[in-house]
Structure formats: structure tokens, C-alpha cells
């Protein structure tokens, strides 16, 4: 018989860890027992935008320094540190921790100042502050009562230690969220521009499947501007003007526009103004698109330096999705297993139990890392649309009457388990959903073709991705690169072809050879 995966006691029962009420990374009691409660100090800080309020008390709650307001300047923060040290010496404190309430980014200056001074700094969630404040001061919320609530939270083990992220992970998260913000702004600009365009050219936008990717549609709207002008120009004049502007088009498209111009409804009285506003908003949208491309180039250069690049072998996952997940999850060694990922994201139902009543399948819990949850749900949507396995599973669940939210959560949970095996194990995981896995380097190559990347950046990213791959995947990764190299060499094109110089070097790295070359002039 095979050995059990879990160790069992002598009586055949599984060994269980002792129940711990406090959070594991918030426990203080061993240190308190060592020095004594009256010799253990707790600094609590309630931050705001430009200033914070802080207080020092011992473990029992005896206030040693009354609440003090400190401005977020170098001098005032230094004075706060000096006063904490003086009070510690005066009251003979032998151990001390500082707890700062999380407040967006406003708590960072105080947190950095206390860490630089050598204090252990813990973070208290505002949710904890509220629930430890309300029993004692149910109708009062002030900085002093917040500090008292924070103190009770820290004593109870809810002042949590947070690991300091490495620069790569900080930058990745910052860029991921900046890109998402740019995408949202660009989406709003599309809606606003289309509204103005509809007032100037009623029904024109509906002629195109994707208005914003049609150079013909945008050029005609900008340069002709009204249904009457389009009708007067006709297909012949529009064709000549588009050829002169260097815009490719198909004659049926122009014929469709011409037919619309003869039946279009009357525009708004302020059509000229609406057209000008639509053009201005579209200029802003195009600028946002260029910014998004630049940010995505920075994202891929960070992604290839992490094991999350292995997720590109998964059908339905592209560079942006993998970078989005990597930025929100952070280092994989921060998760003991895949359940920790879904637990942090809050992808499990809430439970309400009392006596014989037990509602175990409530809605998803509210207190969770919403950004990580959103990243997983976006990936779930992509897999349902682009991955045959998950598409078929979702179809079966829909036929069984499952709620769409239930389907997305199940897909996200399944993907979390697969992703953990791939990233933590540094392997190209084999699953029924990825029988025909995608080539990682081929996806990176396609990404760089779509973005204005330099040959040096392309080669650097490909080589960094190879460092993250298991050696067993090198042979399969080389096949599409060899095909791309052969196609490049046989293409009837003149002028520099950087891929013809880059791909042999990358293939040599896959084969375990080291090749030095300077491609700066390619």
C-alpha cells in the first residue's frame, strides 16, 4: 500500500495543529511573556494625508505618551522617533512594536520613518480598528478612540507583519495598476467620443464592427464631417482622398458609407461643435493607446524575470494577463499552497452558523484582496472564451442551470491550482486544459512584433524567459523559433531583418550554448 500523504498519529487520526485565535503573523504573546506586559510598548499611529496622530502605551493599555499630532515632514517624523526612544528609556521598556493603520498610501511616510529608525512596524486594517473601537466607543469616532481601538487590535494579534516586497514586484504591481487605469480612461473616452459622433453623424458609428480600429471610419468622420458632404463627395472622391492620405480601404466599405449618407437622419443643431469635441476626445484616446503600449513594453521586461512567464504556455493566457496576475499576487513563495491564493482573493463563500442553523454557502466574502480577485476573474473570463477545455466545462455548467458568477469562480479556482503548480514548481504544467500547450517564446515574439520594441529589448526578454524555463521545455520552445527563422531567411524582403540575427542566438541559448554577439547595429 502507498504511504499516506499526511502523517498520522498512533491512533490513526490525522494530526491537527493547535487552534490559534490570533493571526499567525500578528502574534505578540511570546515576546510579551519574555519581557513582561508592563515592559512591552505598543506605538499606534492613525495616519491622514498630511499628518498623523500617534500614541504610546504598554501591553496592558496604560498610556505612556498621550496622543500627539505629527506632520509628515522629515523634522517632525524625526522628533517623533526621538520622543518614542526617550519615553521607552523613561518607562524602562524592553521591547516595542509600532502599528500603523493602513490608509491607501498615506501611511507610507510614517511607516518608512519608523522602519528606518529600527522599529518593528506592523499594519492594522481599518476594518479591525473599527470593530475594536465600536464596543468601547459606539457613538464616537475620533483620532484618540481610533488609537485605542488599534491598540486592542494589536494586543489581540491583528497588527500584522508585512514582508517588504522586492523592487521588481513593487514596480510590476505599480505598472499593472497604471495600465489598468489607462485602459479604463481610454474606454471612457471611447464612450464620450462616440456620443458626440452620434450627434454629428446619426447612425454612422453603427456601420462599423469596431469603430476605433477602422482608419477609414475615423478619417471620413474627421475630414468630411457631415452626411451631406459625404453624399456630395461620393465613392470616387473618397477613394482618391484615402489613397492620397495613405489609408488602405475596401470599396464595399465606402459604398456602405455612401448609402448611409443618403438616408441619414438630421444631425444636432450644434453638429460642428460635437464633431470638434469628438475629434479632441479621439486624439486623447489615441494618446492613451500609445501610453498603454509603452507601459506594456515595460511590463513584459519585468514579467520575463519572474516564473509567472511560464503561464504563457497555458492556452488563453497572454502577456498582459500573466503580468496582471503576477503584479497582484507577488512572489509565489508567499503562498503555502493554492488554497492560500483563493483565500487571499476571497474566492470562497461566506458562512453564518449559530446552534443548529448553518448557512455555509453564502455569497463570496466581502473582506478580501479585491485586486487579486479581479485579476483571477478576468483570467477566468479569458479561459472561458479562449480555452476549449474551460469553454466546454462552462457550457455544461450553463446547461445545468449554474449561475454565471458560480461558473467564473469555479474556473478561477481551478486555474489557481494549476497556476500554483506551474509557478511554484517552475514547470510547464500538463493538464487536460493544456494538452496542446502554447510556446512561451512564440507568444513573446508575437507581442514584440505588435509593439515598437528594439532588437536589443527583444533579445533580452527572450533570453530572460529562457532562464525561467525548465530544461525539458527547451526542445518544444525551439520549434516555432526555428520555423520563424526559416521564414525570415526565405522572405523576399530587402533591408535589415533583426530576427535573422536574434533568433540564432536565442536558439543557441535553448541548446545550452553561450554565444556573445553585439546586435546594436541591427
Amino acid at each position: 500500500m502507498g504511504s499516506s500523504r499526511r502523517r498520522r498519529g498512533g491512533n490513526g487520526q490525522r494530526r491537527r495543529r493547535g487552534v490559534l485565535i490570533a493571526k499567525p503573523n500578528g502574534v505578540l504573546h511570546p515576546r510579551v511573556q519574555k519581557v513582561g506586559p508592563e515592559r512591552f510598548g505598543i506605538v499606534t499611529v492613525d495616519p491622514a494625508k498630511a499628518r498623523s496622530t500617534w500614541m504610546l502605551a504598554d501591553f496592558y493599555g496604560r498610556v505612556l505618551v498621550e496622543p500627539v499630532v505629527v506632520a509628515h515632514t522629515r523634522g517632525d517624523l524625526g522628533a517623533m522617533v526621538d520622543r518614542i526612544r526617550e519615553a521607552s528609556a523613561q518607562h524602562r521598556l524592553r521591547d516595542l512594536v509600532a502599528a500603523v493603520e493602513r490608509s491607501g498610501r498615506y501611511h507610507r511616510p510614517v511607516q518608512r520613518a519608523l522602519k528606518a529608525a529600527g522599529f518593528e512596524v506592523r499594519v492594522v486594517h481599518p476594518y479591525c480598528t473599527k470593530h475594536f473601537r465600536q464596543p468601547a466607543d459606539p457613538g464616537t469616532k475620533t483620532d484618540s478612540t481610533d488609537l485605542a481601538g488599534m491598540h486592542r487590535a494589536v494586543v489581540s494579534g491583528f497588527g500584522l507583519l508585512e514582508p517588504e516586497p522586492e523592487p521588481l514586484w513593487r514596480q510590476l504591481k505599480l505598472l499593472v495598476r497604471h495600465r489598468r487605469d489607462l485602459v479604463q480612461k481610454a474606454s471612457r473616452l471611447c464612450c464620450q467620443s462616440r456620443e458626440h459622433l452620434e450627434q454629428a453623424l446619426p447612425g454612422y458609428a453603427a456601420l462599423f464592427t469596431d469603430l476605433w480600429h477602422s482608419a477609414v471610419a475615423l478619417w471620413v468622420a474627421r475630414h468630411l464631417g457631415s452626411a451631406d458632404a459625404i453624399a456630395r463627395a461620393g465613392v470616387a472622391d473618397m477613394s482618391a482622398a484615402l489613397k492620397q492620405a495613405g489609408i488602405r480601404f475596401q470599396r464595399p466599405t465606402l459604398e456602405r458609407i455612401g448609402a448611409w449618407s443618403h438616408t441619414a437622419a438630421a444631425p444636432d443643431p450644434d453638429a460642428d461643435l460635437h464633431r470638434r469635441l469628438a475629434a479632441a476626445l479621439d486624439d486623447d484616446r489615441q494618446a492613451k493607446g500609445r501610453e498603454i503600449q509603452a507601459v506594456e513594453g515595460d511590463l513584459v521586461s519585468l514579467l520575463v524575470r519572474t516564473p509567472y512567464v511560464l503561464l504563457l504556455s497555458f492556452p488563453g493566457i497572454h502577456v498582459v494577463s500573466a503580468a496582471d496576475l503576477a503584479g497582484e499576487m507577488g512572489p509565489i513563495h508567499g503562498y503555502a499552497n493554492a488554497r492560500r491564493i483563493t483565500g487571499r482573493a476571497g474566492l470562497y463563500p461566506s458562512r453564518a452558523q449559530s446552534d443548529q442553523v448553518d448557512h455555509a454557502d453564502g455569497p463570496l466574502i466581502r473582506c478580501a484582496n479585491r485586486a487579486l480577485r479581479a485579476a483571477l476573474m478576468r483570467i477566468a473570463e479569458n479561459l472561458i472564451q479562449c480555452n476549449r477545455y474551460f469553454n466546454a466545462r462552462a457550457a455544461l455548467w450553463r446547461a445545468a442551470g449554474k449561475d454565471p458568477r458560480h461558473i467564473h469562480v469555479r474556473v478561477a479556482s481551478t486555474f489557481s491550482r494549476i497556476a500554483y503548480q506551474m509557478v511554484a514548481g517552475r514547470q510547464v504544467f500538463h493538464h487536460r486544459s493544456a494538452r496542446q500547450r502554447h510556446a512561451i517564446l512564440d507568444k513573446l515574439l508575437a507581442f514584440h512584433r505588435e509593439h515598437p520594441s528594439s532588437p536589443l529589448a527583444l533579445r533580452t526578454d527572450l533570453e530572460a524567459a529562457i532562464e525561467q524555463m525548465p530544461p525539458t521545455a527547451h526542445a518544444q520552445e525551439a520549434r516555432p523559433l526555428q520555423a520563424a527563422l526559416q521564414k525570415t531567411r526565405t522572405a523576399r524582403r530587402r533591408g535589415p531583418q533583426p530576427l535573422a540575427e536574434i533568433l540564432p542566438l536565442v536558439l543557441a541559448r535553448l541548446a545550452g550554448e553561450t554565444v556573445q554577439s553585439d546586435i546594436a547595429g541591427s
Side-chain angles (χ1 to χ4, degrees), residues 262-333:
H262 294 290
T263 61
D268 188 89
D270 297 321
D272 291 339
L273 178 58
H274 282 294
R275 186 173 62 253
R276 194 166 76 242
L277 294 176
L281 291 169
D282 188 57
D283 289 339
D284 195 5
R285 177 193 65 83
Q286 293 182 26
K288 290 289 186 294
R290 291 188 290 271
E291 290 182 53
I292 291 170
Q293 278 206 329
V295 171
E296 287 176 351
D298 295 334
L299 277 177
V300 71
S301 66
L302 296 176
L303 175 66
V304 295
R305 294 160 56 191
T306 73
Y308 286 90
V309 73
L310 297 174
L311 295 178
L312 296 183
S313 65
F314 204 88
I317 304 297
H318 210 318
V319 172
V320 172
S321 299
D324 192 15
L325 183 65
E328 298 300 344
M329 275 186 57
I332 196 65
H333 58 71

Coordinates of all heavy atoms in Angstrom, one line a residue, residues 262-333:
H262 N -27.2 59.0 -47.8 CA -28.4 59.4 -48.4 C -29.6 59.2 -47.6 O -30.7 59.7 -47.9 CB -28.6 58.6 -49.7 CG -27.5 59.0 -50.8 ND1 -27.5 60.2 -51.4 CD2 -26.4 58.3 -51.2 CE1 -26.4 60.2 -52.2 NE2 -25.8 59.1 -52.1
T263 N -29.5 58.4 -46.5 CA -30.7 58.1 -45.6 C -30.5 58.5 -44.2 O -31.3 58.3 -43.3 CB -30.9 56.5 -45.6 OG1 -29.8 55.9 -45.1 CG2 -31.2 56.0 -47.0
A264 N -29.3 59.2 -43.9 CA -29.0 59.6 -42.5 C -30.1 60.6 -42.0 O -30.5 61.5 -42.8 CB -27.6 60.2 -42.4
A265 N -30.3 60.5 -40.7 CA -31.2 61.5 -40.0 C -30.6 62.8 -39.9 O -29.3 62.9 -40.1 CB -31.7 60.9 -38.7
A266 N -31.4 63.8 -39.6 CA -30.8 65.2 -39.5 C -29.9 65.3 -38.2 O -30.3 64.7 -37.2 CB -32.0 66.2 -39.4
P267 N -28.8 65.9 -38.3 CA -27.8 66.0 -37.2 C -28.3 67.0 -36.1 O -29.3 67.7 -36.4 CB -26.5 66.4 -37.8 CG -26.9 67.2 -39.0 CD -28.2 66.6 -39.5
D268 N -27.6 67.1 -35.0 CA -27.9 68.0 -34.0 C -27.6 69.5 -34.5 O -26.7 69.6 -35.3 CB -27.0 67.7 -32.8 CG -27.4 68.6 -31.6 OD1 -28.2 68.1 -30.8 OD2 -26.8 69.7 -31.4
P269 N -28.3 70.5 -34.0 CA -28.0 71.9 -34.5 C -26.6 72.3 -34.2 O -26.0 73.1 -35.0 CB -29.0 72.7 -33.7 CG -30.1 71.8 -33.3 CD -29.5 70.4 -33.2
D270 N -26.0 71.7 -33.2 CA -24.6 72.0 -32.9 C -23.6 70.9 -33.4 O -22.7 70.5 -32.7 CB -24.4 72.2 -31.4 CG -25.2 73.4 -30.8 OD1 -25.3 74.4 -31.5 OD2 -25.8 73.3 -29.7
A271 N -23.9 70.4 -34.6 CA -23.2 69.3 -35.1 C -21.7 69.6 -35.2 O -20.8 68.8 -35.0 CB -23.7 68.8 -36.4
D272 N -21.4 70.8 -35.7 CA -19.9 71.2 -35.9 C -19.2 71.1 -34.5 O -18.0 70.6 -34.5 CB -19.8 72.6 -36.5 CG -20.3 72.6 -37.9 OD1 -20.3 71.5 -38.5 OD2 -20.7 73.7 -38.4
L273 N -19.8 71.6 -33.5 CA -19.2 71.6 -32.2 C -19.0 70.1 -31.7 O -18.0 69.8 -31.1 CB -20.0 72.4 -31.2 CG -19.5 72.4 -29.7 CD1 -18.1 73.0 -29.7 CD2 -20.4 73.3 -28.8
H274 N -20.1 69.3 -31.9 CA -20.0 67.9 -31.5 C -18.9 67.2 -32.2 O -18.1 66.4 -31.6 CB -21.3 67.2 -31.7 CG -22.4 67.5 -30.7 ND1 -22.3 67.1 -29.4 CD2 -23.6 68.2 -30.8 CE1 -23.4 67.5 -28.8 NE2 -24.2 68.2 -29.6
R275 N -18.7 67.5 -33.5 CA -17.7 66.9 -34.3 C -16.3 67.3 -33.8 O -15.4 66.5 -33.7 CB -17.8 67.2 -35.8 CG -16.9 66.5 -36.7 CD -17.2 66.7 -38.1 NE -17.0 68.1 -38.5 CZ -18.0 69.0 -38.8 NH1 -19.3 68.5 -38.7 NH2 -17.8 70.2 -39.1
R276 N -16.1 68.6 -33.4 CA -14.8 69.0 -32.9 C -14.5 68.4 -31.6 O -13.4 68.0 -31.3 CB -14.9 70.5 -32.8 CG -13.5 71.1 -32.6 CD -13.5 72.6 -32.8 NE -14.0 73.3 -31.7 CZ -15.1 74.1 -31.7 NH1 -15.7 74.3 -32.9 NH2 -15.5 74.7 -30.7
L277 N -15.5 68.2 -30.7 CA -15.3 67.6 -29.4 C -15.0 66.1 -29.6 O -14.1 65.6 -28.9 CB -16.5 67.8 -28.5 CG -16.9 69.2 -28.1 CD1 -18.2 69.3 -27.3 CD2 -15.7 69.8 -27.3
A278 N -15.7 65.5 -30.5 CA -15.4 64.1 -30.8 C -13.9 63.9 -31.3 O -13.3 62.9 -30.9 CB -16.4 63.5 -31.8
A279 N -13.5 64.8 -32.1 CA -12.1 64.7 -32.6 C -11.1 64.9 -31.5 O -10.1 64.2 -31.4 CB -11.9 65.7 -33.7
A280 N -11.4 65.8 -30.6 CA -10.5 66.1 -29.5 C -10.4 64.9 -28.5 O -9.3 64.5 -28.1 CB -10.9 67.4 -28.7
L281 N -11.6 64.3 -28.2 CA -11.6 63.1 -27.4 C -10.9 62.0 -28.0 O -10.2 61.2 -27.4 CB -13.0 62.8 -27.0 CG -13.8 63.8 -26.1 CD1 -15.3 63.4 -26.1 CD2 -13.2 63.7 -24.7
D282 N -11.0 61.8 -29.4 CA -10.3 60.7 -30.1 C -8.8 60.9 -30.0 O -8.1 60.0 -30.0 CB -10.9 60.6 -31.5 CG -10.3 59.4 -32.2 OD1 -10.6 58.3 -31.7 OD2 -9.7 59.6 -33.2
D283 N -8.4 62.2 -30.1 CA -6.9 62.4 -30.0 C -6.4 62.0 -28.7 O -5.3 61.4 -28.5 CB -6.6 63.9 -30.2 CG -6.9 64.4 -31.7 OD1 -6.8 63.5 -32.6 OD2 -7.1 65.6 -31.9
D284 N -7.2 62.3 -27.6 CA -6.8 61.9 -26.3 C -6.8 60.3 -26.2 O -5.9 59.7 -25.5 CB -7.8 62.5 -25.3 CG -7.3 62.4 -23.8 OD1 -6.1 62.0 -23.6 OD2 -8.0 62.8 -22.9
R285 N -7.8 59.7 -26.8 CA -7.8 58.2 -26.8 C -6.6 57.6 -27.4 O -6.0 56.7 -26.9 CB -9.1 57.7 -27.5 CG -9.2 56.2 -27.6 CD -10.3 55.8 -28.5 NE -10.0 56.2 -29.9 CZ -9.3 55.5 -30.7 NH1 -8.7 54.4 -30.3 NH2 -9.1 55.9 -32.0
Q286 N -6.2 58.2 -28.6 CA -5.0 57.6 -29.3 C -3.8 57.9 -28.5 O -2.9 57.0 -28.5 CB -4.9 58.3 -30.6 CG -6.0 57.9 -31.6 CD -5.9 58.6 -33.0 OE1 -4.7 58.9 -33.4 NE2 -7.0 58.8 -33.7
A287 N -3.7 59.0 -27.8 CA -2.5 59.2 -26.9 C -2.5 58.2 -25.8 O -1.4 57.7 -25.4 CB -2.6 60.6 -26.3
K288 N -3.7 57.9 -25.2 CA -3.7 56.9 -24.2 C -3.3 55.5 -24.7 O -2.6 54.7 -24.0 CB -5.2 56.8 -23.6 CG -5.6 57.9 -22.8 CD -4.9 58.0 -21.4 CE -5.5 59.1 -20.5 NZ -5.2 60.4 -21.1
G289 N -3.7 55.2 -26.0 CA -3.3 54.0 -26.6 C -1.8 53.8 -26.7 O -1.2 52.8 -26.4
R290 N -1.1 55.0 -27.0 CA 0.4 54.9 -27.1 C 1.0 54.7 -25.7 O 2.0 54.0 -25.6 CB 0.9 56.2 -27.8 CG 0.5 56.3 -29.3 CD 1.2 57.5 -29.9 NE 0.7 58.8 -29.5 CZ -0.3 59.4 -30.0 NH1 -1.0 58.9 -31.1 NH2 -0.8 60.6 -29.5
E291 N 0.4 55.4 -24.7 CA 0.9 55.2 -23.4 C 0.7 53.7 -22.9 O 1.6 53.2 -22.3 CB 0.1 56.1 -22.4 CG 0.4 57.6 -22.5 CD -0.3 58.4 -21.5 OE1 -0.2 58.1 -20.3 OE2 -1.0 59.4 -21.9
I292 N -0.4 53.1 -23.3 CA -0.7 51.7 -22.9 C 0.4 50.8 -23.5 O 0.9 49.9 -22.9 CB -2.1 51.3 -23.3 CG1 -3.1 52.0 -22.4 CG2 -2.3 49.8 -23.1 CD1 -4.5 51.9 -22.9
Q293 N 0.7 51.1 -24.8 CA 1.7 50.3 -25.4 C 3.1 50.4 -24.8 O 3.8 49.4 -24.6 CB 1.8 50.6 -26.9 CG 0.8 50.0 -27.8 CD 1.3 49.9 -29.2 OE1 2.0 50.7 -29.7 NE2 0.8 48.9 -30.0
A294 N 3.4 51.6 -24.4 CA 4.7 51.8 -23.7 C 4.7 51.1 -22.4 O 5.8 50.5 -22.0 CB 5.0 53.3 -23.5
V295 N 3.7 51.2 -21.6 CA 3.6 50.5 -20.3 C 3.7 49.0 -20.5 O 4.3 48.3 -19.7 CB 2.3 50.9 -19.5 CG1 2.1 50.1 -18.3 CG2 2.4 52.4 -19.2
E296 N 3.0 48.5 -21.5 CA 3.0 47.0 -21.7 C 4.5 46.6 -22.1 O 4.9 45.5 -21.7 CB 2.1 46.7 -22.9 CG 0.6 46.8 -22.4 CD -0.3 46.5 -23.6 OE1 0.1 46.4 -24.7 OE2 -1.6 46.4 -23.3
G297 N 5.2 47.4 -22.8 CA 6.6 47.1 -23.0 C 7.4 47.0 -21.8 O 8.3 46.1 -21.6
D298 N 7.2 47.9 -20.8 CA 7.8 47.8 -19.5 C 7.4 46.6 -18.7 O 8.2 45.9 -18.0 CB 7.6 49.1 -18.7 CG 8.2 50.3 -19.3 OD1 9.2 50.2 -20.1 OD2 7.7 51.4 -19.1
L299 N 6.1 46.2 -18.8 CA 5.6 45.1 -18.1 C 6.2 43.8 -18.6 O 6.6 42.9 -17.7 CB 4.0 45.0 -18.3 CG 3.2 45.8 -17.4 CD1 1.7 45.7 -17.8 CD2 3.3 45.5 -16.0
V300 N 6.4 43.6 -19.9 CA 6.9 42.3 -20.3 C 8.4 42.2 -19.9 O 8.8 41.1 -19.6 CB 6.8 42.2 -21.9 CG1 7.7 43.2 -22.6 CG2 7.0 40.8 -22.3
S301 N 9.1 43.3 -19.8 CA 10.5 43.2 -19.4 C 10.6 42.8 -17.9 O 11.7 42.2 -17.5 CB 11.2 44.6 -19.6 OG 10.7 45.6 -18.8
L302 N 9.6 43.1 -17.1 CA 9.6 42.6 -15.7 C 9.0 41.2 -15.6 O 9.5 40.4 -14.8 CB 8.8 43.6 -14.9 CG 9.3 45.0 -14.7 CD1 8.3 45.8 -13.9 CD2 10.7 45.0 -14.1
L303 N 8.0 40.9 -16.4 CA 7.4 39.6 -16.3 C 8.4 38.5 -16.7 O 8.4 37.4 -16.0 CB 6.2 39.5 -17.3 CG 5.5 38.2 -17.4 CD1 4.8 37.8 -16.1 CD2 4.5 38.2 -18.6
V304 N 9.2 38.7 -17.7 CA 10.2 37.6 -18.1 C 11.2 37.3 -17.0 O 11.9 36.3 -17.1 CB 10.8 37.9 -19.4 CG1 9.8 38.0 -20.5 CG2 11.6 39.2 -19.3
R305 N 11.3 38.2 -16.0 CA 12.3 37.9 -14.9 C 11.6 37.2 -13.8 O 12.3 37.0 -12.7 CB 12.9 39.3 -14.5 CG 13.7 39.9 -15.5 CD 13.9 41.4 -15.3 NE 14.4 41.7 -14.0 CZ 14.5 42.9 -13.5 NH1 14.0 44.0 -14.2 NH2 15.0 43.1 -12.3
T306 N 10.4 36.8 -13.9 CA 9.7 36.0 -12.9 C 9.2 34.7 -13.4 O 9.0 34.5 -14.6 CB 8.5 36.8 -12.4 OG1 7.4 36.8 -13.4 CG2 8.8 38.3 -12.1
P307 N 9.0 33.7 -12.5 CA 8.4 32.4 -13.0 C 7.0 32.5 -13.6 O 6.5 31.5 -14.2 CB 8.5 31.5 -11.8 CG 8.5 32.5 -10.6 CD 9.2 33.7 -11.1
Y308 N 6.3 33.6 -13.4 CA 5.0 33.8 -13.9 C 5.0 33.8 -15.5 O 3.9 33.6 -16.1 CB 4.3 35.1 -13.4 CG 3.9 35.0 -12.0 CD1 4.8 35.4 -11.0 CD2 2.6 34.6 -11.6 CE1 4.4 35.3 -9.6 CE2 2.2 34.5 -10.3 CZ 3.1 34.9 -9.3 OH 2.7 34.8 -8.0
V309 N 6.1 33.9 -16.1 CA 6.2 33.9 -17.5 C 5.8 32.5 -18.0 O 5.4 32.3 -19.2 CB 7.6 34.3 -18.0 CG1 8.6 33.2 -17.7 CG2 7.6 34.6 -19.5
L310 N 6.0 31.5 -17.2 CA 5.6 30.1 -17.6 C 4.1 30.0 -17.9 O 3.7 29.1 -18.6 CB 6.0 29.1 -16.5 CG 7.5 29.0 -16.2 CD1 7.7 28.1 -15.0 CD2 8.2 28.5 -17.4
L311 N 3.3 30.9 -17.3 CA 1.9 30.9 -17.6 C 1.5 31.1 -19.0 O 0.4 30.8 -19.5 CB 1.1 31.9 -16.7 CG 1.2 31.7 -15.2 CD1 0.5 32.8 -14.4 CD2 0.6 30.3 -14.8
L312 N 2.4 31.7 -19.8 CA 2.2 31.9 -21.2 C 2.0 30.6 -22.0 O 1.4 30.6 -23.1 CB 3.3 32.7 -21.8 CG 3.5 34.2 -21.3 CD1 4.6 34.9 -22.0 CD2 2.2 35.0 -21.4
S313 N 2.5 29.5 -21.5 CA 2.3 28.2 -22.1 C 0.9 27.7 -22.0 O 0.5 26.8 -22.7 CB 3.2 27.2 -21.5 OG 2.9 26.9 -20.2
F314 N 0.1 28.4 -21.2 CA -1.3 28.0 -21.0 C -2.2 28.6 -22.0 O -2.2 29.8 -22.2 CB -1.8 28.5 -19.6 CG -2.9 27.7 -19.0 CD1 -2.6 26.6 -18.2 CD2 -4.2 28.1 -19.2 CE1 -3.7 25.8 -17.7 CE2 -5.2 27.4 -18.6 CZ -5.0 26.2 -17.9
P315 N -3.0 27.8 -22.8 CA -3.9 28.4 -23.8 C -4.9 29.4 -23.1 O -5.6 29.0 -22.2 CB -4.6 27.2 -24.4 CG -3.6 26.0 -24.1 CD -3.0 26.4 -22.8
G316 N -5.0 30.6 -23.7 CA -5.9 31.6 -23.1 C -5.2 32.6 -22.3 O -5.9 33.5 -21.8
I317 N -3.9 32.4 -22.0 CA -3.2 33.4 -21.1 C -2.2 34.1 -22.0 O -1.4 33.5 -22.7 CB -2.5 32.7 -20.0 CG1 -3.5 31.9 -19.1 CG2 -1.8 33.7 -19.1 CD1 -4.5 32.7 -18.5
H318 N -2.2 35.4 -22.0 CA -1.3 36.2 -22.8 C -0.4 37.0 -21.9 O -0.5 36.9 -20.6 CB -2.0 37.1 -23.8 CG -1.2 37.4 -25.1 ND1 0.1 37.6 -25.1 CD2 -1.6 37.4 -26.4 CE1 0.6 37.8 -26.3 NE2 -0.5 37.7 -27.1
V319 N 0.4 37.9 -22.4 CA 1.4 38.6 -21.7 C 0.7 39.5 -20.6 O 1.1 39.5 -19.5 CB 2.3 39.4 -22.6 CG1 3.2 40.4 -21.8 CG2 3.2 38.5 -23.5
V320 N -0.3 40.2 -21.0 CA -0.9 41.2 -20.1 C -1.6 40.5 -19.0 O -1.5 40.9 -17.8 CB -1.9 42.1 -20.9 CG1 -2.8 42.9 -20.0 CG2 -1.2 42.9 -21.9
S321 N -2.3 39.3 -19.3 CA -3.0 38.6 -18.2 C -2.0 38.0 -17.2 O -2.2 38.1 -16.0 CB -3.8 37.4 -18.8 OG -4.8 37.9 -19.7
A322 N -0.9 37.5 -17.7 CA 0.2 36.9 -16.8 C 0.8 38.0 -16.0 O 1.0 37.8 -14.8 CB 1.2 36.2 -17.6
A323 N 1.1 39.2 -16.6 CA 1.7 40.3 -15.8 C 0.7 40.8 -14.8 O 1.0 41.2 -13.7 CB 2.1 41.4 -16.8
D324 N -0.6 40.9 -15.2 CA -1.6 41.3 -14.2 C -1.7 40.4 -13.0 O -1.7 40.9 -11.9 CB -3.0 41.3 -15.0 CG -4.1 42.0 -14.2 OD1 -3.7 42.8 -13.3 OD2 -5.3 41.9 -14.5
L325 N -1.7 39.1 -13.2 CA -1.7 38.2 -12.1 C -0.4 38.3 -11.3 O -0.5 38.3 -10.0 CB -1.9 36.8 -12.6 CG -2.1 35.7 -11.5 CD1 -3.3 35.9 -10.7 CD2 -2.1 34.3 -12.2
A326 N 0.7 38.4 -11.9 CA 2.0 38.4 -11.2 C 2.1 39.7 -10.3 O 2.5 39.6 -9.2 CB 3.1 38.4 -12.2
G327 N 1.6 40.8 -10.9 CA 1.7 42.0 -10.1 C 0.8 42.0 -8.9 O 1.2 42.5 -7.8
E328 N -0.4 41.4 -9.0 CA -1.3 41.4 -7.8 C -1.0 40.3 -6.8 O -1.2 40.4 -5.6 CB -2.7 41.2 -8.3 CG -3.2 42.3 -9.2 CD -3.2 43.7 -8.5 OE1 -3.1 43.7 -7.2 OE2 -3.3 44.7 -9.2
M329 N -0.4 39.1 -7.3 CA -0.1 38.0 -6.4 C 1.2 38.3 -5.7 O 1.4 38.0 -4.5 CB 0.0 36.7 -7.2 CG -1.4 36.1 -7.4 SD -1.3 34.4 -8.1 CE -0.2 33.6 -7.0
G330 N 2.2 38.8 -6.4 CA 3.5 38.9 -5.8 C 4.3 37.6 -5.8 O 3.9 36.7 -6.5
P331 N 5.4 37.5 -5.1 CA 6.2 36.3 -5.1 C 5.4 35.1 -4.7 O 4.7 35.1 -3.8 CB 7.3 36.6 -4.1 CG 7.3 38.1 -3.9 CD 5.9 38.6 -4.2
I332 N 5.6 34.0 -5.4 CA 4.9 32.8 -5.2 C 5.3 32.2 -3.9 O 4.5 31.4 -3.3 CB 5.1 31.8 -6.4 CG1 4.0 30.7 -6.3 CG2 6.5 31.2 -6.3 CD1 2.6 31.2 -6.6
H333 N 6.5 32.4 -3.3 CA 6.8 31.8 -2.1 C 6.0 32.4 -0.9 O 6.2 31.9 0.2 CB 8.4 32.0 -1.8 CG 8.8 33.4 -1.8 ND1 8.5 34.3 -0.8 CD2 9.6 34.1 -2.7 CE1 9.1 35.4 -1.0 NE2 9.7 35.4 -2.2

